[in-house]
Amino acid sequence: MRRALAILAAGSATRAGVDKVLADLGGQPVIAWSLAAALAAQCFEDIVVVAPSERVSAIETIVRERAPDARVIAGGATRTASSWAALDALHDADILAIHDAARPFAPPSLFARCVEIAGSDGSAVAGLPLADTVRRADEAGAATEEVARDGLWSAQTPQAFQRHLLETAREAAGDRSFSDDAAALSAAGLAPKMVLGERRNLKITTFEDMGYARELVSKGLIGFPAMTVR
C-alpha cells in the first residue's frame, strides 16, 4: 500500500492572535515540527501541505528547505474542502493520513502507529478517552446536566484512512463541512477506529496555547524531532 500524508495548514489563525503555522516555536516555524515528525516516522511515500492560497509561497519556502520532495497546494474554504483537495492531490495513495499543522507535538511514533492500524483496520483516529467530568451548561453558564463520559474520546490528529473510506465519505458529504475527517466518515455511516493518542499532542488554537507550547519547548520538556530530509 502506498502511504501519504496531508498536513492541513489552511485554517484561520485569528484565535491564536498570530499566524500560528508560521509562528516561531523554539527557533522553528510551527509547521516545521509536524513536517519533521512525519519525516522521522519514515512511513510516508508522499507528503502534501495544504495552505491558504495567499500563503502558499511563504509555506512552500519552509517546506522546500526541509522536505524537497513534498508539495504545497492551495486549500479550500473549509477544513473539509482542504481534506478533499489533499485526497485529489494524493491520487496514488492507498492510505492517507491527515494531520493539523497546529498540532506540532505529535511524535513520529504516533504517525507510524496510525498508518499501521489503518492498513489493517481501515482507519485510525488518534484521541484520548475523556478523563474530566463533563457538564452541559446553558448560555448563562449554569450547569444543566452532567454527561456520562464512558466511551467518550477527544479526537486528535493524525487520522489515517484507507482511500476507499474517504472516497465514500466525500461522496456522501455533498457540500457539508465537518470538524474533522472522522466526523465525515461517521456522517457516511462508517465507524472510524479510535486509537490512543498522546497527552503532549496539544492543538494551538489560542494565544494562551501558543504561550504554553513555547514554555514546554523552552524548558526542554519537548524537543524538535530529528528530521530525515527527503
Side-chain angles (χ1 to χ4, degrees):
M1 287 187 172
R2 190 169 184 86
R3 304 156 301 178
L5 170 69
I7 300 177
L8 303 187
S12 170
T14 53
R15 282 183 290 175
V18 294
D19 189 332
K20 57 189 176 183
V21 301
L22 298 180
D24 179 80
L25 180 59
Q28 296 279 352
V30 166
I31 192 171
W33 287 73
S34 294
L35 188 60
L39 291 171
Q42 297 186 319
C43 61
F44 298 111
E45 284 76 39
D46 299 295
I47 296 177
V48 159
V49 177
V50 186
S53 57
E54 69 275 10
R55 284 186 285 164
V56 166
S57 179
I59 291 177
E60 193 167 39
T61 298
I62 294 170
V63 171
R64 293 295 184 204
E65 291 175 351
R66 295 161 174 83
D69 292 338
R71 290 175 287 153
V72 180
I73 65 170
T78 65
R79 186 192 190 284
T80 301
S82 292
S83 290
W84 300 154
L87 184 62
D88 288 335
L90 295 164
H91 54 83
D92 291 334
D94 300 301
I95 296 176
L96 178 59
I98 301 170
H99 183 62
D100 291 333
R103 291 187 183 272
F105 297 149
S109 59
L110 184 56
F111 285 95
R113 185 161 70 247
C114 286
V115 167
E116 180 181 4
I117 294 172
S120 60
D121 294 2
S123 62
V125 177
L128 295 172
L130 289 186
D132 296 331
T133 298
V134 180
R135 291 191 176 91
R136 182 174 287 109
D138 61 21
E139 293 182 359
T144 60
E145 179 186 5
E146 184 170 313
V147 180
R149 63 177 181 242
D150 295 343
L152 294 182
W153 290 59
S154 59
Q156 302 178 342
T157 64
Q159 301 180 3
F161 309 93
Q162 291 184 15
R163 182 180 193 86
H164 69 94
L165 296 179
L166 285 174
E167 295 283 12
T168 298
R170 175 164 64 174
E171 183 177 354
D175 294 331
R176 288 180 293 170
S177 295
F178 302 94
S179 59
D180 67 0
D181 302 282
L185 261 72
S186 295
L190 305 171
K193 181 180 180 67
M194 300 300 300
V195 301
L196 193 61
E198 301 276 350
R199 294 283 174 194
R200 59 179 272 178
N201 188 19
L202 63 86
K203 184 176 182 180
I204 297 175
T205 301
T206 66
F207 184 79
E208 289 76 15
D209 296 334
M210 182 69 74
Y212 181 54
R214 287 172 171 161
E215 182 180 0
L216 291 174
V217 174
S218 67
K219 290 182 176 180
L221 299 176
I222 297 179
F224 191 71
M227 185 168 59
T228 302
V229 177
R230 283 195 344 198

